[in-house]
Amino acid sequence: MYDNSVGDMPVLTFRLDDDVAQRFAALAAASGGRSALLRRLIGDALAMEAGEGHQAPRARQRATCRVEVRLIPEEIAALDREADALGMKRTDWITTLLARRLRANAPLPREERAAVAQAWRELNRIGINLNQATRALNASVMVESGLDVAREAARVASFRSEIVDALAGLGAALKGDLRYWDMADA
């Protein structure tokens, strides 16, 4: 039956056995809900009739639900400032905040991601240098080497200091992220 009782959106209604309705609802839960699954199935059927073939299934994603939040203009402005400061969209900022508070799992903001990436590059570079210095020290034990062991040992000690500094920077970036998202009042 075709009914046009909800605004400008057509509404289709039909009857199903209870068992079929329950099974369909369970299947639809993983596809964004009953309406979303029905719209996709109808779209696929129309595409097949038009000779477009079966539509490729969308990439697997979590089923989501829409939540509406009403804010006054001043709150929207503050929200936009916070999101812009992290290079995020308004919705991404809100979902990240909720994810952090609900699951203690939030991605790093852009600035901290850059700091973590820089620390990783520094640690990688230091690791390569440390590997070279270790090889040089191992070669120095050979009689014909002529390598200055004290100089190489000092290089290894300086690498240790650089590693400690890089790890401190990495830790600060991570703690900064946690402090930001855990902040109860601003």
Side-chain angles (χ1 to χ4, degrees):
M1 172 179 189
Y2 180 166
D3 182 11
N4 196 10
S5 62
V6 180
D8 294 334
M9 293 273 296
V11 176
L12 301 173
T13 57
F14 52 94
R15 299 183 190 281
L16 294 173
D17 292 331
D18 286 342
D19 179 53
V20 173
Q22 287 176 348
R23 289 175 39 216
F24 182 78
L27 175 67
S31 299
R34 292 178 299 209
S35 292
L37 180 56
L38 282 170
R39 282 190 297 273
R40 194 179 82 228
L41 291 171
I42 291 169
D44 286 352
L46 293 173
M48 288 176 71
E49 180 190 28
E52 298 172 12
H54 180 68
Q55 298 292 315
R58 292 183 184 166
R60 254 189 127 156
Q61 62 184 24
R62 282 187 185 165
T64 60
C65 297
R66 177 180 292 271
V67 174
E68 186 174 321
V69 178
R70 295 185 184 273
L71 302 172
I72 60 174
E74 293 82 14
E75 293 169 331
I76 290 290
L79 171 60
D80 287 341
R81 280 192 305 274
E82 289 292 320
D84 288 343
L86 297 175
M88 300 174 95
K89 293 179 183 175
R90 184 186 294 165
T91 302
D92 294 337
W93 188 91
I94 292 169
T95 55
T96 300
L97 175 64
L98 287 172
R100 174 69 188 134
R101 299 294 275 179
L102 298 175
R103 293 192 306 267
N105 180 18
L108 292 171
R110 180 179 52 194
E111 202 170 284
E112 277 80 8
R113 283 193 311 261
V116 169
Q118 180 62 32
W120 181 86
R121 284 190 294 276
E122 289 177 21
L123 287 172
N124 192 44
R125 179 187 54 79
I126 293 166
I128 291 169
N129 290 341
L130 189 55
N131 201 18
Q132 292 171 347
T134 303
R135 279 196 209 118
L137 281 173
N138 286 335
S140 72
V141 295
M142 299 177 155
V143 177
E144 68 274 357
S145 169
L147 189 67
D148 184 0
V149 176
R151 189 186 83 210
E152 292 304 317
R155 279 183 61 200
V156 170
S158 75
F159 294 148
R160 181 185 186 283
S161 174
E162 287 183 51
I163 289 173
V164 167
D165 291 344
L167 287 174
L170 186 59
L174 293 172
K175 287 178 185 171
D177 178 56
L178 297 178
R179 278 195 304 267
Y180 178 85
W181 294 110
D182 288 342
M183 192 167 65
D185 52 351

